Structures are given as C-alpha cells and as structure tokens.
Amino acid sequence: MDKEPYLYSFLEHDNPVTEILEQEAESRDDIQPFVERETARLISLLIRVTKAKRVLELGTGIGYSTVWLGEAVRATGGTVTTVDNHQRTGVEARETVEKSGLEEHVILLQGDAEELIPMMVARGDAYDLIFQDCGKYLYPLLYDDVYQLLKPGGILVSDDTLFRVDASVRKGLGRYIDEYNKRLFADSRYYSTLLPAGHGVAVSYKV
C-alpha cells in the first residue's frame, strides 16, 4: 500500500498556493524537485515550537518551501530570508510569494550563496533557524559560515541527507552529502539526528 495518500490526508497545506504548486509540478520537467510536504511541515513545526523569528533558507527554487516557512514566521512575527542564484525560477518565486500574500514576511535574495553567505557572516547576521536545500556541493563548502550564522540554541535543517545511499541520485551528489554528514555528526557543537523523510533530513541543534 502506498503510504503517501494516507500521510498527506493528514498533512494539510497552510497556504493554498503550495497545493497548487504541487499539482503543477506533476506536469513540469523544467524545475528542480522541491522539498516533500512532510519535510516542509516539519520545518514549519520547528519554527513555531522554537518561536523562531529570523529564518534563513538556502535554495528558493520556485518558492514552495519558502511559502511554508513564510507562513510559520507570520505566526511567530518574524521574517524568512531566502537565497537562490537561478534567475528564471527567481521570477517564479517572487510571483509565488506575492500570490501567497507573504511579501511582508519574505526577503528574496538573488545571487550565489558562495558570495552572499560570507557577506552575511561578515556583517554579523544571525538566525534562529536555517534550512539548506541548495546545491549539494555547497553543504560542505559553506559548513563553517552556516555555523557562524546560526544563533546558539538555533536549529539547522538540511535536506537530501540520504543522497549517499539513494540509487536514483547521481553519485557525485552523494559524495558531497556523505562528506557533510560525516562532518556534521562528528561535530560536538551540534546535537543532530537524521530522519528518513523524503531523501533524508538532518536536524541539528546548535549547543
């Protein structure tokens, strides 16, 4: 029995826009797959439980997960800053945010994370929760910078952390993820767990 229909019968959308995006994605092959609904709802839950007001997302795509995060920070009275370097999907993401009515709670940044994230660190930015679902090579590359941006007691959520053992994923991507996982779980500055939701989700608490 396919578990997804049963699972999704409980996981309702916080905003109707994400439901529309899921339906449209079934007939599209011009976008990267976005985060699974259960993962998006998990992050939304973590934002609410921790009362996070400053949230950073690495990897906007067309804005699916951004809307989930945006609804959560609307509940906490905060904002989500989201970073992506793809111009075409960036236009779609802006339209998505506008359609969802979350303009006051979402800051869209267009540019390379390799350049923007070190700039954020240099000016002393700090976030309560960081969600990374960007290029997998960036996970180990930006490891130290992401740590610096996360407040003590903050939550880091990393998507696709089971790529290394997923036969459907290109081996090169799995190599980056494996490097990241080994470093993350050896780092005593974090208390982490790895969940088999979607392609794997690592949730880490900055001690």
Side-chain angles (χ1 to χ4, degrees):
M1 179 179 178
D2 187 358
K3 67 180 180 181
E4 188 173 282
Y6 182 75
L7 174 65
Y8 284 8
S9 70
F10 296 104
L11 303 183
E12 296 181 352
H13 292 270
D14 292 339
N15 189 298
V17 168
T18 53
E19 184 173 10
I20 294 171
L21 291 178
E22 282 186 11
Q23 295 169 352
E24 293 177 346
E26 294 179 1
S27 60
R28 295 187 64 173
D29 59 5
D30 62 331
I31 57 174
Q32 292 292 325
F34 40 71
V35 66
E36 290 77 9
R37 193 192 308 178
E38 59 268 31
T39 301
R41 196 169 175 92
L42 170 64
I43 305 167
S44 180
L45 174 66
L46 289 170
I47 291 172
R48 287 170 164 83
V49 168
T50 62
K51 297 181 173 56
K53 292 183 180 296
R54 285 178 57 81
V55 173
L56 175 64
E57 177 185 41
L58 304 181
T60 314
I62 61 172
Y64 175 83
S65 54
T66 308
V67 173
W68 281 96
L69 273 58
E71 283 292 347
V73 294
R74 171 148 62 184
T76 65
T79 57
V80 54
T81 299
T82 183
V83 176
D84 203 297
N85 67 349
H86 199 290
Q87 293 186 356
R88 178 179 60 81
T89 55
V91 172
E92 284 196 58
R94 191 168 297 278
E95 293 174 351
T96 296
V97 171
E98 291 174 355
K99 290 176 182 177
S100 65
L102 291 166
E103 298 98 320
E104 294 182 8
H105 298 279
V106 176
I107 301 169
L108 291 142
L109 297 182
Q110 188 82 42
D112 293 328
E114 303 98 307
E115 299 177 3
L116 293 177
I117 299 307
M119 290 172 56
M120 292 178 179
V121 173
R123 66 179 181 232
D125 290 0
Y127 294 91
D128 303 308
L129 184 144
I130 298 176
F131 171 52
Q132 55 181 359
D133 187 23
C134 49
K136 306 316 162 193
Y137 74 96
L138 291 172
Y139 285 31
L141 181 65
L142 296 177
Y143 186 92
D144 291 324
D145 286 333
V146 168
Y147 178 83
Q148 292 296 325
L149 287 175
L150 189 62
K151 291 180 179 179
I155 301 293
L156 171 63
V157 183
S158 307
D159 196 33
D160 298 324
T161 44
L162 288 178
F163 265 14
R164 176 67 175 80
V165 291
D166 190 328
S168 67
V169 174
R170 296 202 315 269
K171 291 183 179 179
L173 297 179
R175 175 171 60 84
Y176 293 119
I177 289 299
D178 187 49
E179 178 185 347
Y180 173 77
N181 286 339
K182 287 176 179 175
R183 187 170 180 183
L184 179 67
F185 281 87
D187 193 339
S188 61
R189 300 174 301 173
Y190 285 117
Y191 184 84
S192 302
T193 189
L194 185 54
L195 306 173
H199 291 288
V201 183
V203 181
S204 306
Y205 168 77
K206 184 174 178 178
V207 180

